[in-house]
Amino acid sequence: MWAVIKVDKVLKFYNFQAEQYEVVSDIKFAHASELETTNGISMAFGGFTKIVLDHDASVSTLLRANIPLFLTKVGAREAAKTANLTGYTYIHFDVTKIQL
């Protein structure tokens, strides 16, 4: 699953209903240097890397926060273009199950 994001000093997810980027505080990240193995997805921004720790829990948290997720990166890109967003990127979640 894919989400549209923006990284300033914090990671923000785009809420298409509210038409704004929002911080979702329950998403757990770690710096790559803090982990012996990386079971998450590496995201490099501004010279540092963060890792999503629990993809299934993150997706459930985003859905509860009304952050739309897309099955494909193309779907996320099309939605971002339709909303005339600039300065955005994407994050991919490798999901095995979704629990609300």
Side-chain angles (χ1 to χ4, degrees):
M1 304 204 81
W2 294 84
V4 176
I5 63 171
K6 181 177 185 177
V7 177
D8 260 333
K9 294 182 182 191
V10 296
L11 176 66
K12 295 181 180 182
F13 296 86
Y14 193 74
N15 183 331
F16 286 88
Q17 291 178 335
E19 298 181 349
Q20 65 184 8
Y21 288 96
E22 299 177 358
V23 174
V24 180
S25 60
D26 293 335
I27 305 294
K28 293 185 174 46
F29 292 92
H31 290 284
S33 61
E34 297 172 345
L35 304 175
E36 291 181 18
T37 61
T38 55
N39 293 328
I41 293 176
S42 176
M43 299 179 358
F45 294 105
F48 65 92
T49 302
K50 288 189 173 184
I51 306 296
V52 177
L53 295 179
D54 186 339
H55 293 243
D56 293 332
S58 295
V59 165
S60 296
T61 299
L62 290 170
L63 290 173
R64 283 194 303 275
N66 295 318
I67 301 297
L69 298 171
F70 302 88
L71 294 177
T72 65
K73 187 175 182 179
V74 171
R77 180 174 42 245
E78 291 302 318
K81 284 182 180 179
T82 299
N84 293 319
L85 298 181
T86 60
Y88 64 90
T89 189
Y90 314 93
I91 185 170
H92 179 252
F93 294 98
D94 186 17
V95 182
T96 57
K97 62 182 176 182
I98 299 174
Q99 293 180 334
L100 296 177

